Amino acid sequence: MQRYFLTEPYETKEQYIVTGEIYHHIVRVMRMEPKQQVFLAFSDRLAIIAEITEITEDAVYLKELSKELAEKELPINVTIACGYPKGDKFEWVVQKGTELGSHKFIGFPAKSSVVKWDRKKLAKKTERLKKIAIEAAEQSHRQFAPDIVLLEKEQALIDVFSNYDKVLIAYEESAKVGERSHFATALSELTAGESILIIFGPEGGFAPDEIAVFQEHNGIICGLGPRILRAETAPLYVLSAISYQFELV
Ligand code: SAM
């Protein structure tokens, strides 16, 4: 069943009215008719099953049938932060990472990031990534679409460390010296409702002085096994491992 994300929080109503892009998708793309059902997912992560009651020139009217009860979200809040990689790799991370349950994506200019985006380009890119996240969240039946934040400075990432219960830095040099326990230990110490920020480098990896600053702010460096993964593969490995740890037991 098709799923649509609304920007407002849930409120009990006699009828729900959707317009704009969602109207276009229901009526023109899906060619739905009255009596057909969709999921409406609200900004506060509550979703309902709703039936179309009427379609007019510019609005679809729906009534609530029931609440969606199944829990689709990872029990811990995971934010994936990536040093800007080349090309469309960040788009790829956002799409696949949304399917795997990330709550938020942050992009930042790491020292070895090749791409340099100005404020205008970042705003345009943010809009595109938000759209990708919404489509992936609809496709994977998530209860909300992850937030996207693209930073102009690496310092702005360090400034949010204190908002998280744990901050991990996936560091290729840790992997090379056989560090294998920090990631697993951090996960075992987290309980439902807590939050973790995990930071990944771009193609060139992290510079030692960058790592030193992360560590000064209580970031924990960790290895992700003996193989060096591409910048776009490492976040997906981490999200899969988190799902295994918290959802398949
Ligand atoms: N240029 C680096 C090198 O040759 O060692 C590799 C960088 S890797 C392509 C990009 C990012 O993925 C790294 O900065 C790190 O965040 C993450 N990464 C990849 N493999 C990893 C591993 N085995 N352990 C920890 N982090 C890893």
Side-chain angles (χ1 to χ4, degrees):
M1 190 164 31
Q2 202 63 36
R3 177 175 293 264
Y4 296 103
F5 288 93
L6 306 181
T7 48
E8 69 265 21
Y10 175 76
E11 224 183 292
T12 308
K13 286 184 184 167
E14 286 281 298
Q15 61 179 3
Y16 296 87
I17 305 169
V18 295
T19 57
E21 273 187 36
I22 298 179
Y23 169 89
H24 176 80
H25 197 268
I26 291 178
V27 179
R28 310 262 180 260
V29 181
M30 300 305 291
R31 299 186 175 279
M32 286 190 188
E33 304 213 335
K35 294 234 175 288
Q36 286 191 272
Q37 295 175 10
V38 299
F39 284 112
L40 293 182
F42 295 86
S43 61
D44 50 0
R45 303 184 185 186
L46 211 144
I48 61 170
I49 297 172
E51 182 181 277
I52 299 172
T53 52
E54 191 188 347
I55 297 176
T56 65
E57 277 299 295
D58 54 6
V60 177
Y61 293 77
L62 306 107
K63 70 171 182 199
E64 177 175 341
L65 296 182
S66 59
K67 304 251 180 326
E68 186 190 31
L69 296 175
E71 180 53 69
K72 310 282 176 57
E73 297 302 328
L74 283 173
I76 57 167
N77 284 11
V78 183
T79 295
I80 297 293
C82 296
Y84 292 131
K86 289 185 201 154
D88 60 2
K89 287 179 188 166
F90 198 39
E91 274 87 337
W92 205 83
V93 170
V94 167
Q95 187 189 56
K96 311 299 176 205
T98 298
E99 291 172 39
L100 288 165
S102 178
H103 282 68
K104 184 170 180 171
F105 295 92
I106 300 177
F108 67 96
K111 284 215 163 129
S112 72
S113 290
V114 176
V115 291
K116 304 277 176 240
W117 290 325
D118 60 19
R119 193 169 290 188
K120 202 169 149 207
K121 176 87 181 162
L122 286 176
K124 215 169 143 201
K125 197 101 183 152
T126 305
E127 282 318 300
R128 177 165 162 64
L129 290 168
K130 282 190 171 172
K131 216 164 163 225
I132 290 172
I134 289 173
E135 282 168 9
E138 285 170 358
Q139 190 277 327
S140 55
H141 293 204
R142 296 267 313 259
Q143 282 155 306
F144 74 101
D147 196 12
I148 309 284
V149 176
L150 300 188
L151 302 174
E152 279 184 81
K153 300 227 173 342
E154 194 169 38
Q155 179 59 43
L157 176 68
I158 296 160
D159 291 344
V160 300
F161 278 21
S162 57
N163 297 347
Y164 291 87
D165 294 301
K166 288 216 182 281
V167 177
L168 289 186
I169 300 107
Y171 189 32
E172 57 280 6
E173 298 305 326
S174 292
K176 288 175 195 169
V177 297
E179 196 297 301
R180 287 167 191 217
S181 64
H182 292 176
F183 178 44
T185 303
L187 292 192
S188 70
E189 288 170 357
L190 282 170
T191 54
E194 290 191 313
S195 60
I196 184 167
L197 166 67
I198 312 173
I199 306 171
F200 301 87
E203 295 82 354
F206 285 119
D209 57 339
E210 233 169 354
I211 291 291
V213 176
F214 291 152
Q215 287 180 305
E216 270 166 36
H217 292 81
N218 299 326
I220 302 163
I221 53 173
C222 66
L224 300 176
R227 290 167 294 282
I228 298 302
L229 309 170
R230 283 179 186 256
E232 68 275 30
T233 311
L236 306 186
Y237 169 86
V238 158
L239 285 163
S240 306
I242 291 173
S243 168
Y244 178 79
Q245 168 93 359
F246 287 93
E247 298 182 308
L248 295 186
V249 284

